[in-house]
Amino acid sequence: MNNQCCEGVRRAKFSRRYFMKQGGIAMVGLSTVPAFLQRAIASTPAEGKKQLVVLFQRGAADGLNIVVPFAEPNYYRMRPTIAIPQPKRGGAEAALDLDGFFGLHPSLAPLVPVFQKSQLAIVHAAGSPDPTRSHFDAQDYMESGTPGVKATEDGWLDRAIGTIPEENASPFRAVAVGPNLPRMLRGSTGAIALPDLRQFKVQPQSAAMANVVEGGFEAMYAQSVDHALHGTGTETFEAIDLLKKIDMSKYPPENGADYPKSPLGQRLQQIGVMLKAKIGTEVVFVDCGGWDNHVNEGGVQGQLSNLLKDLGQSLAAFHQDMDDRMAEVVVVTMSEFGRTAKENGNRGTDHGHANCMFVMGGDVKGGRVYGKWPGLEDRQLNEGRDLMLTTDFRTVVGEILTKHNGVKQLNAVFPGFDNNPARFLKLMRA
């Protein structure tokens, strides 16, 4: 095993204290617990850690039809067939008025109570400042946190968690819920990808690590250099077996929450299980695709409406399920860029620039649409075609990381960016 791989194993080692936390791992009785876990029962888990969930809308979502500037006349001029009607003119199929200027797409109705509860904030005209219209490059820049710089090796979420050292950190400290580790979590922290809690599998974060751990998750930890864990090979495999027994039935959706059966709904439900089980998770990544609607995007009905119905129901179910636990959780959404201000000839939209972001959680000063609105007159558009960007996504995320997660070294998270707190939108309560 080379030095790089050994270091990856060291960073991924188990923290003994998390195995017994609040029954998050199903155990029949003390007699079934490996000896090293019996020795760890008296350990005290770290309390007070807050969680961040990053939801990436892959494909470039149409922010102008998600959060509708219904008081902007040019919006209707440029979108004659796909615009969302004004609240006073469209009845049940109209924008849901937020503040007299902006409204939510009607398919996002489940999020209105969260907004009214002041636990959902929206940032409009936000995103990456890089002008690229390439999905690949734009996603790479937004996940690396260095727009325009292709040489960055790690992701901003990995760097963020790395600025808060934690001795014996949980192996579940940084998790992607899905089949692959995203660019945002690649780096030295040792994040893992969980395709499905019900079929406990963990993907290594690099091809090099995969070569070392051909036997999968068990083999990786069987090779661990953590002596407290290593004990005997039998104890190690027993520990992994216990991890496989995270029992989702012990953490059913609460407060009447009803998650959609869609991939996004089910992944958010599993994130809820992880956070309830208190196995040391601090940052979680989840994504959903399908937002690249060049053709038949639709307005009130259509492809975008279907995607938003799933998004709205999933986020609202997560908020309802977590309830008071949302005091410890923030969910932020982002997409690589927005869409053109004008609809195209196929009742769709093409690759644009600025977009909108949602920020949901108990620490959020919600009930507002943040950001400077640039306008939709032709002279106000980016390159004469897109919503102009007025808020860099790093400003939004930087405020969350600083005030919610306790990151003190933003320059290490977003190198080369002006991370002065004076730039913050003051959307967080802390």
Side-chain angles (χ1 to χ4, degrees):
M1 188 183 302
N2 61 38
N3 290 338
Q4 181 179 0
C5 293
C6 286
E7 183 63 21
V9 171
R10 278 193 288 271
R11 289 186 178 116
K13 65 186 179 183
F14 280 105
S15 169
R16 298 170 298 163
R17 65 192 181 195
Y18 288 99
F19 286 113
M20 299 298 295
K21 178 66 178 174
Q22 293 194 1
I25 310 302
M27 295 185 178
V28 176
L30 190 61
S31 62
T32 66
V33 181
F36 81 92
L37 287 178
Q38 295 184 38
R39 295 191 298 269
I41 290 176
S43 298
T44 303
E47 298 292 347
K49 292 287 186 179
K50 295 192 174 184
Q51 296 87 41
L52 172 63
V53 179
V54 179
L55 193 161
F56 204 105
Q57 297 166 274
R58 294 201 186 276
D62 183 6
L64 286 173
N65 267 19
I66 295 174
V67 181
V68 182
F70 65 80
E72 171 78 64
N74 292 292
Y75 167 75
Y76 294 97
R77 174 178 63 85
M78 293 187 292
R79 297 186 168 208
T81 70
I82 68 169
I84 309 302
Q86 292 180 320
K88 295 181 180 180
R89 298 183 179 181
E93 294 192 336
L96 305 169
D97 192 356
L98 297 176
D99 60 6
F101 188 93
F102 293 106
L104 284 179
H105 189 289
S107 292
L108 291 173
L111 292 179
V112 172
V114 186
F115 186 86
Q116 294 173 337
K117 193 178 179 180
S118 296
Q119 291 199 0
L120 173 64
I122 296 166
V123 186
H124 221 319
S128 169
D130 190 86
T132 184
R133 299 182 190 274
S134 159
H135 289 295
F136 177 83
D137 286 344
Q139 290 178 20
D140 185 73
Y141 293 150
M142 187 164 269
E143 294 196 61
S144 70
T146 55
V149 179
K150 292 190 175 183
T152 307
E153 296 183 355
D154 49 10
W156 67 260
L157 194 53
D158 173 87
R159 295 194 297 273
I161 200 71
T163 66
I164 312 175
E166 182 175 327
E167 186 178 357
N168 296 323
S170 164
F172 298 100
R173 191 182 188 200
V175 177
V177 179
N180 302 301
L181 197 71
R183 176 79 165 83
M184 196 179 292
L185 275 174
R186 291 190 180 274
S188 61
T189 301
I192 58 176
L194 292 173
D196 193 326
L197 282 179
R198 292 163 297 194
Q199 298 176 345
F200 191 88
K201 298 176 182 178
V202 176
Q203 304 297 326
Q205 69 172 12
S206 66
M209 180 63 75
N211 291 333
V212 174
V213 296
E214 291 179 356
F217 190 50
E218 292 89 343
M220 181 167 68
Y221 287 102
Q223 297 178 58
S224 171
V225 295
D226 182 359
H227 297 295
L229 170 68
H230 203 46
T232 66
T234 301
E235 286 184 348
T236 300
F237 283 100
E238 286 175 348
I240 304 308
D241 187 58
L242 294 177
L243 279 176
K244 288 183 178 179
K245 295 173 182 174
I246 296 177
D247 187 356
M248 289 191 65
S249 67
K250 292 183 64 177
Y251 303 99
E254 299 175 22
N255 311 301
D258 184 15
Y259 287 93
K261 301 304 180 186
S262 65
L264 176 61
Q266 294 304 292
R267 286 173 179 175
L268 282 174
Q269 181 177 348
Q270 293 193 27
I271 291 171
V273 169
M274 282 194 292
L275 299 185
K276 291 176 189 178
K278 296 190 177 180
I279 54 173
T281 305
E282 293 179 40
V283 296
V284 188
F285 179 95
V286 61
D287 64 8
C288 57
W291 301 92
D292 192 18
N293 301 137
H294 290 275
V295 179
N296 295 326
E297 174 183 315
V300 173
Q301 305 293 334
Q303 294 183 71
L304 181 63
S305 174
N306 293 335
L307 288 165
L308 293 178
K309 186 176 298 183
D310 182 33
L311 178 69
Q313 291 177 351
S314 298
L315 287 175
F318 180 80
H319 184 274
Q320 188 172 353
D321 183 15
M322 299 302 290
D323 196 33
D324 290 345
R325 297 182 183 92
M326 287 303 299
E328 307 299 317
V329 182
V330 165
V331 180
V332 61
T333 70
M334 59 185 65
S335 192
E336 64 262 36
F337 44 70
R339 315 295 297 186
T340 49
K342 297 179 182 179
E343 66 177 79
N344 60 28
N346 297 311
R347 297 191 74 244
T349 51
D350 298 319
H351 298 178
H353 192 44
N355 211 321
C356 64
M357 300 173 68
F358 288 0
V359 185
M360 182 177 77
D363 274 352
V364 178
K365 291 193 292 188
R368 287 185 54 190
V369 179
Y370 290 80
K372 180 182 178 182
W373 180 246
L376 291 178
E377 293 183 17
D378 291 342
R379 63 180 177 80
Q380 296 171 321
L381 298 178
N382 174 66
E383 298 182 352
R385 54 179 280 173
D386 315 314
L387 180 67
M388 184 75 71
L389 185 140
T390 60
T391 300
D392 193 302
F393 81 98
R394 291 170 292 184
T395 299
V396 178
V397 174
E399 182 173 352
I400 296 169
L401 292 173
T402 300
K403 295 186 176 181
H404 180 72
N405 297 94
V407 171
K408 300 184 184 303
Q409 304 171 41
L410 274 186
N411 289 336
V413 181
F414 298 121
F417 182 61
D418 181 2
N419 292 292
N420 190 330
R423 295 169 55 96
F424 290 168
L425 300 177
K426 298 180 175 58
L427 55 81
M428 302 299 295
R429 298 186 189 281

